[in-house]
Amino acid sequence: MPNPKTVTVTFDVAKAIKETKGGKVEFRVDKAGIVHCGIGKMNFDATKLAENAHAIINAVIKAKPAAAKGKYVKRITLTSTMGPGIPIDLAESEILAAAA
């Protein structure tokens, strides 16, 4: 449902469109700590999907609260809406996040 907190309802439409086209990354976290976020559509090429995935991983790692101790991201799995999950190498994603 539309919600002002998630900026799906706004009076400043031009600003919302500019932020979205500028690469604004939004993700949700459920009670179990699972991050849900779309990274693209079927018609995106592989490089665009990879760029979007790296941007989301970097955003999640940067969003780590200062009070959080230990390993913040334990596992990454990429999946389509109704498909099987594909595990992503966490060490490789941490190296890419550090390089960005």
Side-chain angles (χ1 to χ4, degrees), residues 54 57-58 61 71 73 76 88-100:
H54 291 278
I57 292 168
N58 289 337
I61 291 172
K71 198 164 192 161
V73 178
I76 299 173
I88 305 296
D89 184 18
L90 190 58
E92 183 178 324
S93 65
E94 288 175 347
I95 291 169
L96 292 171

Side-chain angles (χ1 to χ4, degrees), residues 68-87:
K69 302 286 185 197
K71 198 164 192 161
Y72 190 60
V73 178
K74 294 182 181 178
R75 179 170 60 198
I76 299 173
T77 304
L78 187 66
T79 183
S80 65
T81 303
M82 296 295 289
I86 301 168

Side-chain angles (χ1 to χ4, degrees), residues 1-90:
M1 293 298 296
N3 183 350
K5 289 183 181 179
T6 60
V7 195
T8 54
V9 175
T10 182
F11 290 109
D12 194 357
V13 177
K15 180 182 173 191
I17 291 172
K18 183 178 178 183
E19 287 176 348
T20 302
K21 287 186 176 183
K24 182 178 180 181
V25 176
E26 290 185 10
F27 51 87
R28 295 177 307 179
V29 180
D30 65 10
K31 292 179 184 178
I34 299 171
V35 175
H36 301 273
C37 183
I39 63 166
K41 303 212 181 270
M42 288 294 295
N43 60 356
F44 286 17
D45 61 352
T47 56
K48 287 292 183 187
L49 289 172
E51 287 175 10
N52 291 348
H54 291 278
I56 290 169
I57 292 168
N58 289 337
V60 168
I61 291 172
K62 288 179 184 176
K64 176 182 178 181
K69 302 286 185 197
K71 198 164 192 161
Y72 190 60
V73 178
K74 294 182 181 178
R75 179 170 60 198
I76 299 173
T77 304
L78 187 66
T79 183
S80 65
T81 303
M82 296 295 289
I86 301 168
I88 305 296
D89 184 18
L90 190 58

